[in-house]
Amino acid sequence: MSNVPQIKVPATYIRGGTSKGVFFREQDLPVSAQVPGAARDALLLRVIGSPDPYGKQTDGMGGATSSTSKTVILSKSSQPDHDVDYLFGQVSIDKPFVDWSGNCGNLSAAVGSFAVSGGLVDANRIPENGTAVVRIWQANISKTIIAHVPITNGEVQETGDFELDGVTFPAAEVQVEFMDPADGEGAMFPTGNLVDDLEVPGVGTLKATMINAGIPTIFVNAEAIGYTGTELQDAINNDDKALAMFETIRAHGAVRMGLIENIEEAVKRQHTPKVAFVASPAEYTSSSGKKVTADDIDLLVRALSMGKLHHAMMGTAAVAIGTAAAIPGTLVNLAAGGGDRTAVRFGHPSGTLRVGAEATENNGEWSVVKAVMSRSARVLMEGWVRIPGDSF
């Protein structure tokens, strides 16, 4: 019996924000994987090294965390007034599925630079020196993202002195604008309320702000679930009881938000919604040993991604935080001191992050024009990934 040889697929391994993933141009994928479906999912699973019952993704490009088990597919845009279509796949570490239900805000910072370098942006839109404004169509959620990519001598400038908490080394700053980040198919607040009473069996009735902006997110008060908001990863991720509680909150919140019909469906929708807890400012020491004082921040936020406390903050959740903070009366806004706000700086496990958003109310409906934050991105490796030819 002969074994099938490996094939190689052009790919680039990129850090975007506090995440990293494997980027593909759609045209470079095998024909069967150039369209949505089982073949595409199987290919991406094998590239990343999933499903892995050991939880390590040793036989793939994944890093065994939600921040490093990611894939991106780009193509020239099919939408008017856009440069590139961006499709994000969150690959499960230990289960055989790819979640296409949301965006990755951190990797959004790398989409513009990869699009420029990969020839997906028209040359007349790229200055010799300055900033390329890349218009991105986020295909998972049908939203526009604008990336401001620094250019030097006609090429993407990746090195610089911009520091991002959660990333060890400085790089060039990339400003990212998430346009009209609220859900395009429904209300920003799916329940119609800024704050709801969310009944969670085994936990109790929690005050919750459930918002769909950037990514569907359920915010609860840290104090209500026994936390301070200053926790680092080990305090949550080494506690199986805590993780089960957060998953129960997430599942019941997803039902209330209309994302799933029953809680049993939550296991097949790990990427969304997110669950986060908030608190008023307090001093703590970040995971890098950096001291964060109460005066440095407007509020504390901790968020879970793919069943684990995130080491920093998901970019899309930061959009949700900025949006909710701009709307008086949400739990996020109240934790930040209440009132009208156009930007907040929040504390997360790795440090702090500032995000801006401006909200308006019209006939009882809230809307946000855009949410803005700065990230950075850097190519780590480029060439080909290899996978067995019978993997997909």
Side-chain angles (χ1 to χ4, degrees):
M1 179 180 176
S2 61
N3 292 312
V4 175
Q6 292 212 103
I7 65 167
K8 60 182 185 179
V9 182
T12 304
Y13 197 42
I14 311 180
R15 177 189 63 76
T18 56
S19 294
K20 55 185 177 181
V22 183
F23 282 60
F24 301 92
R25 296 190 309 176
E26 184 182 83
Q27 68 203 59
D28 294 331
L29 293 171
V31 173
S32 62
Q34 290 183 13
V35 295
R40 173 181 285 181
D41 286 9
L43 181 143
L44 298 179
L45 283 161
R46 196 66 170 94
V47 165
I48 294 297
S50 294
D52 185 352
Y54 304 103
K56 302 299 183 185
Q57 293 179 324
T58 304
D59 201 22
M61 298 293 293
T65 68
S66 67
S67 303
T68 56
S69 189
K70 297 173 180 285
T71 57
V72 169
I73 300 172
L74 298 188
S75 59
K76 273 190 168 290
S77 187
S78 59
Q79 303 293 319
D81 301 320
H82 288 75
D83 300 300
V84 62
D85 288 350
Y86 157 40
L87 189 64
F88 168 68
Q90 178 75 52
V91 179
S92 175
I93 295 169
D94 59 351
K95 296 179 178 63
F97 75 92
V98 181
D99 195 327
W100 301 99
S101 65
N103 177 33
C104 175
N106 276 299
L107 290 188
S108 297
V111 168
S113 59
F114 181 71
V116 170
S117 300
L120 297 174
V121 178
D122 290 344
N124 61 10
R125 292 190 53 78
I126 305 169
E128 182 66 16
N129 292 283
T131 302
V133 179
V134 181
R135 304 162 300 177
I136 301 162
W137 179 251
Q138 213 305 317
N140 300 75
I141 58 174
S142 300
K143 289 291 181 180
T144 298
I145 300 170
I146 307 295
H148 298 263
V149 180
I151 303 293
T152 300
N153 298 328
E155 296 185 352
V156 174
Q157 174 70 43
E158 295 178 294
T159 57
D161 57 8
F162 174 73
E163 295 185 354
L164 178 64
D165 285 343
V167 177
T168 304
F169 303 107
E173 180 178 2
V174 178
Q175 188 180 82
V176 185
E177 300 175 287
F178 298 84
M179 310 303 294
D180 183 24
D183 181 15
E185 297 182 357
M188 184 185 300
F189 298 96
T191 66
N193 303 312
L194 302 183
V195 178
D196 282 280
D197 288 327
L198 179 63
E199 295 182 10
V200 184
V203 179
T205 301
L206 302 174
K207 295 293 183 183
T209 289
M210 292 175 276
I211 188 171
N212 198 341
I215 201 163
T217 307
I218 303 155
F219 292 101
V220 298
N221 288 321
E223 184 179 17
I225 51 175
Y227 292 110
T228 63
T230 62
E231 289 76 15
L232 303 185
Q233 280 188 295
D234 286 350
I236 306 294
N237 294 345
N238 292 340
D239 186 340
D240 290 342
K241 185 177 179 181
L243 294 177
M245 175 192 70
F246 282 113
E247 180 59 19
T248 302
I249 294 171
R250 195 183 77 88
H252 285 270
V255 172
R256 284 289 298 274
M257 295 179 79
L259 299 172
I260 57 178
E261 293 185 2
N262 56 71
I263 59 172
E264 288 75 21
E265 294 178 19
V267 70
K268 295 183 179 180
R269 190 183 173 120
Q270 291 188 348
H271 184 52
T272 58
K274 304 300 186 189
V275 60
F277 53 101
V278 300
S280 298
E283 182 177 298
Y284 68 100
T285 300
S286 75
S287 56
S288 68
K290 173 185 175 182
K291 181 173 285 188
V292 178
T293 71
D295 291 337
D296 293 334
I297 54 178
D298 298 303
L299 76 159
L300 294 160
V301 190
R302 300 294 189 263
L304 283 82
S305 178
M306 302 293 285
K308 299 285 187 179
L309 187 72
H310 197 275
H311 71 99
M313 183 55 62
M314 304 82 80
T316 48
V319 173
I321 292 165
T323 302
I327 299 174
T330 69
L331 295 186
V332 180
N333 173 267
L334 295 172
D340 295 328
R341 294 179 173 274
T342 57
V344 289
R345 181 175 294 277
F346 61 88
H348 57 71
S350 293
T352 68
L353 177 64
R354 184 182 187 276
V355 59
E358 294 188 26
T360 58
E361 184 182 15
N362 185 24
N363 295 324
E365 291 288 333
W366 285 96
S367 63
V368 171
V369 175
K370 63 182 177 181
V372 183
M373 72 183 80
S374 288
R375 316 302 275 166
S376 63
R378 187 173 75 86
V379 171
L380 305 178
M381 183 179 291
E382 57 191 350
W384 299 270
V385 290
R386 292 178 181 257
I387 58 171
D390 58 356
S391 299
F392 60 98

